[in-house]
Amino acid sequence: MKLGTVTYMIAATWDVPTIIKNLRETKLEGVELRTTHAHKVEPTLSAAERREVRRQFEDGGIEIAGLGTTCEYQAADPAVVRKNIEETKEFIKLAHDLGCPGVKVRPNGVPKGVPLDKTLRQIGAALREVGEFGQGYGVHVRVEVHGSVTAELPNIKKMMDYADHDNVLVCWNSNDSDLDAPGGDGGAPSVARNFGLVAHKIAAVHMRDLTIEGYPWRQLFRLLGDAGFEGYCFAEIPASSDPIRVLHYYRALWRAYQPAV
């Protein structure tokens, strides 16, 4: 497993050179670049600008490990869904040009008055389309476990089943809704059952503050290791007035939580 950060929100105000400098200083290996932030890595970049961004990261030894979009497909209006699908395709093209392996999308709740299964099928169909498109560019689609109702792992699994495409994968999001009912271990929190629903599909992990004691971080990392996960665990944490110090401590705690080999 490798450690990186999402630019939301710890690095939201950093431009590209600052991201590279700060991640090198804190020994993080890669970054998921969130749309709308100060680095301005967006589909509007020209071909020359894309080459320059890629060169800067490659020369700096930091991997553009993901692009974080806000594309979502649950709307009741087909025109809104189509707009989001086409926007996803533009991010896929951008990822290809940057040498980035994956684009993150998200479900974001369900529309009122629409049967849940209909919405999950609709999201799955959209994911299949963008997954097929991404396959042609060598870029996979990562579905963030996100949104009211849609973040529940049984519903994520249904989306994956409806998408039914090898290029549509999961971004584990470390939500409270990941937690299983207490088992036979004295009531300790566990994500084992929900993790098992999507274990074979996980391509990336978003992590909140590792100081959150109600989330079973050590168990999560053990499950990831048992599943053969070798991708990025991304810190997705609040902004700080002292981000370098925070990221140094974050890396130290992440390393301490790793299973003994």
Side-chain angles (χ1 to χ4, degrees), residues 65-244:
L67 297 182
T69 82
T70 55
C71 297
E72 52 194 47
Y73 318 114
Q74 72 278 342
D77 184 346
V80 174
V81 178
R82 175 49 50 188
K83 179 179 182 294
N84 278 267
I85 289 173
E86 297 306 318
E87 183 177 337
T88 306
K89 292 177 180 179
E90 293 306 309
F91 273 101
I92 286 170
K93 293 176 186 177
L94 174 62
H96 171 268
D97 292 344
L98 297 175
C100 170
V103 167
K104 185 221 77 179
V105 300
R106 68 184 190 191
N108 196 23
V110 294
K112 292 182 179 180
V114 180
L116 175 59
D117 193 65
K118 180 179 179 180
T119 298
L120 300 181
R121 285 179 182 272
Q122 174 181 300
I123 294 170
L127 290 170
R128 186 185 315 116
E129 180 175 343
V130 295
E132 180 68 28
F133 185 85
Q135 190 170 51
Y137 283 85
V139 174
H140 61 251
V141 174
R142 302 169 181 166
V143 183
E144 184 178 22
V145 182
H146 184 274
S148 177
V149 180
T150 50
E152 296 171 15
L153 268 302
N155 290 333
I156 292 290
K157 183 181 185 301
K158 286 182 181 179
M159 293 175 212
M160 294 297 104
D161 290 344
Y162 290 142
D164 191 23
H165 201 288
D166 291 342
N167 202 43
V168 178
L169 303 172
V170 169
C171 175
W172 187 267
N173 204 34
S174 305
N175 304 313
D176 290 340
S177 57
D178 303 340
L179 300 178
D180 306 329
D185 54 357
S190 171
V191 297
R193 185 177 63 220
N194 279 325
F195 183 92
L197 295 176
V198 296
H200 64 294
K201 280 284 192 177
I202 296 173
V205 175
H206 285 176
M207 302 178 297
R208 297 176 292 162
D209 283 310
L210 296 178
T211 54
I212 297 172
E213 296 183 1
Y215 197 88
W217 298 109
R218 285 189 176 89
Q219 182 195 49
L220 173 63
F221 298 136
R222 186 178 71 251
L223 290 168
L224 288 165
D226 291 346
F229 177 76
E230 296 181 343
Y232 271 92
C233 295
F234 294 111
E236 188 176 21
I237 55 178
S240 169
S241 60
D242 194 358
I244 301 302

